[in-house]
Amino acid sequence: MSHAHWSKFEIETEREVKNLIRQISGIQDEQDQNFQLALKFTWSNFRFHRFLDANSHKVQRSVNGIYEKLMVHSDLSKADSWHRLTEEFLDSPLPNTEGTKTDVHHGLLALLLHLSDSPLNSAYSETARLKETEKEDSFDWASYLREGEDLDTGPYPDTPEWSEEEDSQDPLSREDSGIQVDRTPQEDQEQVEKPATVTWTVGEPDARSWLEQQVVTPYWQTHVTHFPKSLHLHSNLLNIWDQHLYNTDPLYVPEEKAFVTETQVIRETLWLLSGVKKLFIFQHQDGKVVVRNDVAVTHLTHSCLQSVLEHIAVYGQAVFRLQSFIDEVTGYKTEPSPPGSSSSKKGSEPPFRTYQAFVWALYKYFSSFKQELTAIERDIIGKDETVTLSGVLDRLCPNLAQIKVLHRVFCTGVAEVPPETPNVVRASHLLNTLYKAIIEYDSVGEASQQAVALLFSLWTETVRPYLEIVDEWIVHGHLFDPAKEFIIQRNKDVPVNHRDFWYATYTLYSISESKESEEKLSDTASGSSTGEQGSRSQLTMVSFLKPVLKQIIMAGKSMQLLKNLDCKETEPTDSTTRDAERKSLYTLFLESVQSRLRCREESPVATVTEQQATKQSLIKMQSIVAQHLQMDDVHDPLLAINFARLYLEQSDFHERFSGGDVVVDRSSESVTCQTFELTLRSCLYPHIRQRYIECCGNLMTTLKKDYRLLEYLQAMRNYFLLEAGDTMYDFYTAIFDKVLEKESWQQLSFLNVQLQEAVGQRHLEDSSRLSIFLETIDPSRKKQPINNLDGLILSYKVPWPVDIVISSECQKIYNQVFLLLLQIKWAKYSLDTLRFKVTTKEPINQQIHRMFLLRVKLMHFVNSLHNYIVTRILHSTGLEFQHQVQEAKDLDQLIKIHYRYLSTIHDRCLLREKVSFVKEAIMKVLNLVLIFSDRWQAGFGAWKIESIDKMESDFKNCHMFLVTILNKAVCRGSFPHLESLALSLMAGFEQC
């Protein structure tokens, strides 16, 4: 291979390739055939193969992964060396490569990573490296350049050269005491620029010194060109650093800076946190607080000062947003709304009460915070002690942490809410945000006691309108919510005396929130009645009211219903007197919280003793847990301490852990005790539940005594379920007699007259309430004789407010059971009224004997079905219902009990669609009874032996079918109430 035309780079590459082949293959002879093949292969790959560039992100992830693994393995020295050396390599320049952290850097790192073999397990100790020091250029360039020139030194050659570093001394001394008392930069610029005319007399020697101490140089107007400097190293750090940058970076150009003192920085920091907007160091741009880039102090570098000021600006931005929200809600806002603030939908619409209460809580906090800022400024003015910026930040550290918490709550609960969101969603979301924040910080424990205390005070103020709305509703029965911020709202279209009052008067609004990495509010609200469940993503409401929301709704509706009833015991004077003496729900809640906190602070000596005992128990528990961990070869003292602290609250923990078997039962007590939830459970919920018991108890007593609720329920069972047997017997036998006589009975006048006569004889007060109607039925449904009773509807006029319980829907179920009972009664009456004629003809006697047997079988079937319905279903279920009605605590519970009772008898009477095939078989037998009775009445001559055979066959098939179905249901245990009917029918079943 000719190398004559090769470049220097190619020649060096050829040499390195050969060295690579020797090292990898071990072949030293270049003339070897294998060596030449390897050389050609390598050059071919170098020249024609295209390799992908190294992925810098993958390389960086690999480097970071090795560092994390070293940290996990506690190899700290190796991890530190790895991190530092890789960073130095990436930031170092390479030959023939411009810049740092280039693809070449990452390619070399990737090569090293591929060539490495288990870097975690290799032993490594970093060797010290000596950095090459740059040789100073000792060549005298000035003499070299001035060679051959005549220098004019002037008339005074011995005069030293003028240096710009020697500044003229300012007649005023440099003291960081410039606290301006009477005038601040927040005033108008024109007032600042007016020349101040200060005069003093010669006879007052202290006048100039007073002026030097009180007047501040107007650093906010123009840049100070000659700022006093100190020769001390720490006080002149900025100049030293600038000189270093000037010496090391040839392109560095010093920027013009506005020098200020640290006291001036502290003062503007205090003003910024106080809510002042017109400042010099901190400026407002597009609703954000930014730091001037040209501000400098002599004893800090520019980057260090900028870092501190930007940290302060974050809190200043939080104060600015919170103060803007306060001004907007209170009505003192003169500027447009800042971005992200959307507390009012319309300019003319005032903020609702929940936002006003939240703003009042923020205002009280900022009042105390500004008092702390004022105290710091007084300390600066007093000059009794040195005040530094770091000292001020350390002093304000708890307050800044609280501002951060407040700003977080404000952003999540207020600022992120879309502008057109309804007030109910705004208020609910704000209260939910506060509630969740308290739970979140409370779960941390002692580390966030101040945040929990702040949020709890904020929550107690913000929740006041909600509790006042609840109190007004459950005490006076009036839901006063003009801004529509409460989650329950009144439907004014439904009056109180309407029968749908209990179901359609109030609307419960549920907020739809999306559960993502952060919980953010969506701008939708779904309205649903109290009994509905939304089908959206996830419906939530005001979290703290969830445990007692049902009681609030029941108490509010009950109280409103009571206020509209003509109660005999209510007198205006008594209610006014009681209301004046009564404490509000919010007051009771605060008193309960104060008493709960007071109980904890009654015995401080006992608390100290308890803390000492806890510490001793913790030490003992740590040793016990450590022993058990060592059994599993786990030697971690920190883990033992945490386990001991976790289970320390259990009284029997020491006994269980010191025993032979380690058994930990945490079911009896929650490990993470949520103090806030316990506070609500003991201080708020009992007052609501007590009011719920009083309101609902009074309503139930009034309905039972004054409005005869129990009597109306008994009347429904008397007439619809035929419990008044003698009365209803007179009514339905008149209809059955008309049918037997082949006369028309489907006349409203005839039916109502019979009903009034039957009821008026024994229950005169109910005769005016009962009526009967005939519903038009499709003729196709009346194919069978048993269906002739379809369309007969009994109606009972229930007065208000009893019709809330006995609704029209309930009467429909009553009518279905009433129709079934009439059909059974009709079949039974038809068989009971049959009469016989004696004959001496032998064939006819055999026919009569078969008909007698069939009649007895049919009577046994009908009587068994009748006894099952009347005794096992209606009577026993009615006794259970009466007992449950007496135990009902509120009207809603009574409505559910009544509906459950109707649903039970509806199902057990086989009227449910699922068991319709059983009902059809029963109806077929009852229809067979009517046909049998009709033919019996026609006389024996009209009978044929084939018809008797067919009736016996049909009855036998239906009987067998029902016995089989009922036995299977009883064996499964799914319908235990059918056992008596199944046994009775089986006893009458003819074995073939």
Side-chain angles (χ1 to χ4, degrees):
M1 185 180 295
S2 177
H3 298 172
H5 59 281
W6 279 21
S7 62
K8 182 180 180 181
F9 173 77
E10 292 176 337
I11 296 175
E12 292 178 355
T13 306
E14 172 79 7
R15 183 172 63 254
E16 296 299 331
V17 167
K18 291 181 179 180
N19 290 332
L20 178 64
I21 295 173
R22 292 191 189 96
Q23 294 294 330
I24 295 177
S25 63
I27 302 174
Q28 302 297 326
D29 186 9
E30 296 183 4
Q31 303 301 325
D32 191 281
Q33 183 180 1
N34 294 328
F35 188 96
Q36 293 297 324
L37 289 175
L39 182 62
K40 293 179 180 180
F41 176 80
T42 307
W43 269 112
S44 176
N45 277 279
F46 282 169
R47 289 175 175 173
F48 307 109
H49 194 77
R50 293 294 182 264
F51 295 93
L52 294 177
D53 293 336
N55 192 332
S56 59
H57 298 288
K58 289 185 178 180
V59 173
Q60 193 63 43
R61 281 198 297 267
S62 300
V63 171
N64 295 337
I66 293 176
Y67 174 77
E68 291 177 2
K69 289 180 181 179
L70 291 172
M71 294 297 293
V72 169
H73 288 278
S74 299
D75 203 344
L76 303 182
S77 60
K78 190 187 295 186
D80 180 67
S81 299
W82 172 260
H83 180 70
R84 187 179 68 259
L85 292 175
T86 52
E87 290 297 326
E88 288 181 0
F89 172 72
L90 291 175
D91 293 332
S92 301
L94 295 177
N96 302 324
T97 304
E98 296 182 359
T100 60
K101 295 183 179 180
T102 61
D103 291 339
V104 179
H105 288 82
H106 291 98
L108 291 174
L109 270 182
L111 177 62
L112 294 176
L113 290 173
H114 285 304
L115 294 176
S116 63
D117 183 15
S118 185
L120 298 178
N121 300 326
S122 60
Y124 173 79
S125 58
E126 186 177 357
T127 57
R129 294 181 299 166
L130 297 177
K131 295 184 177 180
E132 297 181 359
T133 57
E134 296 182 359
K135 298 181 180 180
E136 295 183 359
D137 190 1
S138 58
F139 186 76
D140 191 357
W141 288 97
S143 302
Y144 174 75
L145 295 174
R146 293 173 182 172
E147 186 178 355
E149 294 183 1
D150 295 334
L151 298 178
D152 186 9
T153 58
Y156 304 99
D158 297 334
T159 303
E161 296 182 359
W162 175 78
S163 174
E164 294 182 356
E165 295 180 358
E166 296 179 2
D167 297 333
S168 59
Q169 296 295 327
D170 199 331
L172 295 178
S173 63
R174 181 195 179 279
E175 293 181 358
D176 291 344
S177 61
I179 303 301
Q180 187 173 359
V181 179
D182 299 330
R183 198 170 296 278
T184 62
Q186 63 179 343
E187 299 178 357
D188 295 340
Q189 190 74 12
E190 297 178 358
Q191 297 179 359
V192 177
E193 293 177 355
K194 292 181 180 179
T197 56
V198 182
T199 58
W200 62 83
T201 59
V202 180
E204 297 179 356
D206 296 334
R208 183 174 179 83
S209 63
W210 179 89
L211 189 64
E212 292 177 354
Q213 295 177 2
Q214 301 299 327
V215 178
V216 177
T217 304
Y219 62 91
W220 56 87
Q221 287 185 354
T222 56
H223 293 175
V224 180
T225 55
H226 299 288
F227 194 80
K229 298 179 179 61
S230 174
L231 296 178
H232 195 276
L233 175 64
H234 299 291
S235 300
N236 203 26
L237 182 61
L238 179 63
N239 287 335
I240 296 174
W241 182 250
D242 284 346
Q243 186 65 34
H244 170 70
L245 294 178
Y246 181 80
N247 294 333
T248 56
D249 188 0
L251 301 179
Y252 175 74
V253 178
E255 298 179 355
E256 185 178 2
K257 296 180 177 62
F259 287 93
V260 293
T261 63
E262 186 172 357
T263 304
Q264 293 167 353
V265 175
I266 296 173
R267 181 179 59 187
E268 293 219 358
T269 299
L270 298 179
W271 287 348
L272 176 67
L273 298 178
S274 300
V276 179
K277 299 178 182 178
K278 296 181 179 179
L279 299 173
F280 174 71
I281 299 176
F282 303 97
Q283 296 180 346
H284 289 265
Q285 296 180 3
D286 299 330
K288 295 183 179 180
V289 178
V290 296
V291 182
R292 290 180 64 101
N293 196 34
D294 58 347
V295 176
V297 294
T298 58
H299 58 285
L300 287 177
T301 63
H302 182 261
S303 59
C304 178
L305 179 64
Q306 287 292 318
S307 176
V308 175
L309 295 181
E310 287 174 359
H311 176 70
I312 298 173
V314 172
Y315 295 101
Q317 174 70 21
V319 172
F320 169 71
R321 294 190 68 183
L322 292 172
Q323 189 64 49
S324 301
F325 176 67
I326 294 174
D327 295 341
E328 184 178 354
V329 173
T330 54
Y332 297 114
K333 187 73 176 174
T334 58
E335 299 178 0
S337 299
S341 177
S342 56
S343 61
S344 62
K345 295 181 288 185
K346 300 177 182 178
S348 60
E349 182 177 329
F352 49 94
R353 290 189 291 170
T354 303
Y355 269 18
Q356 293 179 12
F358 179 63
V359 164
W360 171 244
L362 290 177
Y363 175 78
K364 291 199 299 185
Y365 170 78
F366 277 108
S367 297
S368 61
F369 178 59
K370 289 179 181 179
Q371 291 178 1
E372 178 68 19
L373 297 179
T374 304
I376 295 175
E377 194 161 3
R378 287 200 185 105
D379 294 342
I380 297 175
I381 296 174
K383 300 180 182 178
D384 294 334
E385 58 183 8
T386 303
V387 181
T388 62
L389 183 59
S390 61
V392 170
L393 293 180
D394 289 340
R395 183 172 175 179
L396 292 177
C397 184
N399 300 93
L400 296 180
Q402 292 175 349
I403 290 177
K404 183 178 180 180
V405 173
L406 293 178
H407 186 252
R408 177 187 175 189
V409 171
F410 167 75
C411 291
T412 307
V414 178
E416 294 180 0
V417 182
E420 299 301 326
T421 307
N423 290 340
V424 59
V425 182
R426 294 171 178 272
S428 302
H429 184 62
L430 176 58
L431 292 174
N432 273 343
T433 302
L434 286 170
Y435 180 83
K436 294 175 182 177
I438 294 176
I439 298 298
E440 178 183 350
Y441 283 100
D442 190 28
S443 62
V444 177
E446 299 178 358
S448 60
Q449 286 183 350
Q450 293 183 351
V452 172
L454 172 65
L455 290 173
F456 183 74
S457 63
L458 200 68
W459 183 85
T460 52
E461 289 289 345
T462 309
V463 82
R464 181 171 186 171
Y466 252 58
L467 295 184
E468 289 177 350
I469 293 173
V470 172
D471 183 67
E472 178 71 16
W473 191 24
I474 65 178
V475 172
H476 300 288
H478 176 53
L479 186 61
F480 181 73
D481 183 22
K484 295 183 178 180
E485 57 185 302
F486 194 54
I487 58 173
I488 303 170
Q489 296 183 13
R490 176 76 161 87
N491 184 11
K492 297 182 180 180
D493 297 335
V494 181
V496 181
N497 57 356
H498 195 272
R499 65 183 182 88
D500 294 334
F501 162 76
W502 198 259
Y503 309 100
T505 308
Y506 293 96
T507 304
L508 173 63
Y509 283 85
S510 299
I511 308 164
S512 177
E513 296 187 1
S514 59
K515 303 288 183 178
E516 298 176 0
S517 58
E518 295 181 356
E519 293 183 358
K520 294 187 177 180
L521 186 72
S522 64
D523 56 348
T524 60
S526 61
S528 61
S529 62
T530 55
E532 294 180 356
Q533 297 293 334
S535 60
R536 299 194 179 186
S537 56
Q538 181 160 358
L539 298 180
T540 60
M541 56 191 68
V542 181
S543 301
F544 79 96
L545 287 182
K546 280 184 180 180
V548 290
L549 185 62
K550 180 181 178 181
Q551 287 87 338
I552 292 175
I553 296 174
M554 293 298 105
K557 293 196 293 187
S558 300
M559 198 66 206
Q560 186 171 4
L561 192 58
L562 274 174
K563 289 294 182 180
N564 288 272
L565 294 177
D566 297 329
C567 297
K568 301 177 182 179
E569 57 184 3
T570 56
E571 296 181 3
T573 56
D574 296 342
S575 61
T576 304
T577 305
R578 288 196 300 268
D579 189 63
E581 298 174 355
R582 185 189 63 85
K583 294 181 180 179
S584 66
L585 178 63
Y586 183 73
T587 304
L588 292 173
F589 170 63
L590 291 184
E591 291 179 354
S592 300
V593 171
Q594 292 174 359
S595 62
R596 177 181 173 87
L597 297 177
R598 197 179 300 115
C599 292
R600 294 182 176 183
E601 299 174 357
E602 282 181 354
S603 55
V605 178
T607 304
V608 174
T609 307
E610 183 179 355
Q611 291 178 354
Q612 295 176 354
T614 303
K615 185 176 181 180
Q616 295 176 359
S617 301
L618 181 63
I619 297 174
K620 182 185 297 184
M621 205 63 59
Q622 177 190 354
S623 61
I624 296 173
V625 176
Q627 294 175 3
H628 284 271
L629 290 176
Q630 289 176 2
M631 296 178 184
D632 299 331
D633 293 334
V634 178
H635 304 279
D636 193 337
L638 183 60
L639 186 62
I641 293 175
N642 281 284
F643 269 117
R645 194 185 302 274
L646 182 65
Y647 297 110
L648 188 61
E649 295 182 358
Q650 295 188 359
S651 58
D652 58 344
F653 176 80
H654 182 270
E655 300 175 359
R656 296 182 179 183
F657 235 94
S658 58
D661 297 331
V662 183
V663 180
V664 181
D665 182 14
R666 300 190 300 177
S667 60
S668 60
E669 182 176 357
S670 177
V671 178
T672 58
C673 177
Q674 301 294 345
T675 309
F676 179 56
E677 293 180 349
L678 294 178
T679 302
L680 293 179
R681 201 175 301 159
S682 60
C683 300
L684 177 61
Y685 298 160
H687 301 297
I688 296 178
R689 291 193 178 100
Q690 180 64 28
R691 190 60 197 168
Y692 155 76
I693 294 173
E694 294 177 1
C695 294
C696 297
N698 293 337
L699 178 61
M700 293 300 296
T701 303
T702 303
L703 291 177
K704 291 177 181 179
K705 292 184 177 180
D706 299 339
Y707 289 89
R708 303 164 53 201
L709 173 62
L710 300 180
E711 298 179 14
Y712 285 115
L713 290 173
Q714 183 61 45
M716 298 297 294
R717 293 162 48 216
N718 286 341
Y719 304 125
F720 286 86
L721 306 184
L722 307 184
E723 289 191 8
D726 50 353
T727 301
M728 298 306 293
Y729 180 82
D730 295 341
F731 167 67
Y732 60 72
T733 53
I735 300 176
F736 299 158
D737 290 339
K738 284 279 187 180
V739 176
L740 291 176
E741 296 173 2
K742 307 298 183 182
E743 296 180 7
S744 176
W745 60 271
Q746 296 176 345
Q747 299 174 4
L748 285 179
S749 58
F750 165 75
L751 294 173
N752 282 291
V753 167
Q754 293 298 326
L755 182 62
Q756 295 299 325
E757 289 179 357
V759 176
Q761 294 177 4
R762 300 173 180 84
H763 308 281
L764 183 61
E765 67 279 2
D766 291 331
S767 60
S768 60
R769 299 187 179 278
L770 277 172
S771 59
I772 198 160
F773 300 96
L774 284 174
E775 185 180 8
T776 304
I777 302 297
D778 188 6
S780 61
R781 293 177 54 185
K782 293 186 177 182
K783 293 181 180 181
Q784 303 296 333
I786 196 65
N787 294 326
N788 289 334
L789 293 177
D790 293 352
L792 194 64
I793 298 177
L794 187 63
S795 176
Y796 189 86
K797 295 180 180 178
V798 183
W800 181 86
V802 184
D803 60 351
I804 297 176
V805 180
I806 309 174
S807 61
S808 58
E809 290 78 9
C810 294
Q811 291 203 24
K812 292 180 180 178
I813 302 177
Y814 274 115
N815 267 296
Q816 294 181 22
V817 181
F818 173 68
L819 179 60
L820 176 65
L821 291 174
L822 279 185
Q823 291 172 340
I824 298 174
K825 293 285 187 180
W826 187 13
K828 187 176 186 303
Y829 184 78
S830 299
L831 292 174
D832 292 341
T833 55
L834 291 179
R835 296 295 180 263
F836 314 102
K837 294 180 181 180
V838 181
T839 179
T840 58
K841 296 180 180 181
E842 186 67 23
I844 297 179
N845 286 336
Q846 293 179 358
Q847 185 178 0
I848 291 175
H849 180 69
R850 293 180 63 182
M851 293 178 65
F852 267 104
L853 292 178
L854 182 57
R855 175 179 178 271
V856 170
K857 293 177 182 178
L858 292 174
M859 287 184 67
H860 179 270
F861 180 89
V862 174
N863 287 333
S864 299
L865 180 62
H866 179 267
N867 292 335
Y868 164 75
I869 296 294
V870 173
T871 59
R872 182 67 179 89
I873 302 303
L874 300 182
H875 180 68
S876 59
T877 310
L879 293 178
E880 296 176 2
F881 170 65
Q882 291 177 0
H883 177 71
Q884 291 175 356
V885 167
Q886 295 294 338
E887 298 293 330
K889 296 181 180 180
D890 56 59
L891 185 57
D892 193 66
Q893 187 177 359
L894 178 60
I895 292 172
K896 292 180 179 178
I897 291 173
H898 182 235
Y899 185 78
R900 193 184 307 121
Y901 164 69
L902 292 179
S903 178
T904 301
I905 63 175
H906 182 270
D907 292 346
R908 293 184 178 180
C909 288
L910 306 175
L911 296 174
R912 194 168 51 173
E913 191 69 26
K914 188 177 181 180
V915 292
S916 59
F917 59 93
V918 180
K919 182 190 173 185
E920 290 177 1
I922 294 175
M923 289 295 107
K924 191 172 183 180
V925 175
L926 296 181
N927 190 65
L928 189 63
V929 169
L930 296 180
I931 296 174
F932 175 81
S933 174
D934 186 59
R935 293 187 179 181
W936 184 290
Q937 296 292 340
F940 297 113
W943 284 75
K944 292 183 180 181
I945 195 67
E946 293 82 4
S947 62
I948 297 176
D949 293 339
K950 186 177 186 308
M951 293 176 65
E952 288 178 346
S953 175
D954 292 343
F955 173 70
K956 184 177 181 180
N957 292 334
C958 293
H959 200 174
M960 183 185 301
F961 172 76
L962 288 173
V963 168
T964 305
I965 291 297
L966 295 179
N967 280 333
K968 289 183 178 179
V970 171
C971 292
R972 287 198 306 267
S974 54
F975 300 100
H977 56 276
L978 291 174
E979 184 176 359
S980 60
L981 178 61
L983 292 175
S984 179
L985 294 181
M986 188 183 300
F989 181 66
E990 182 179 3
Q991 300 293 334
C992 297

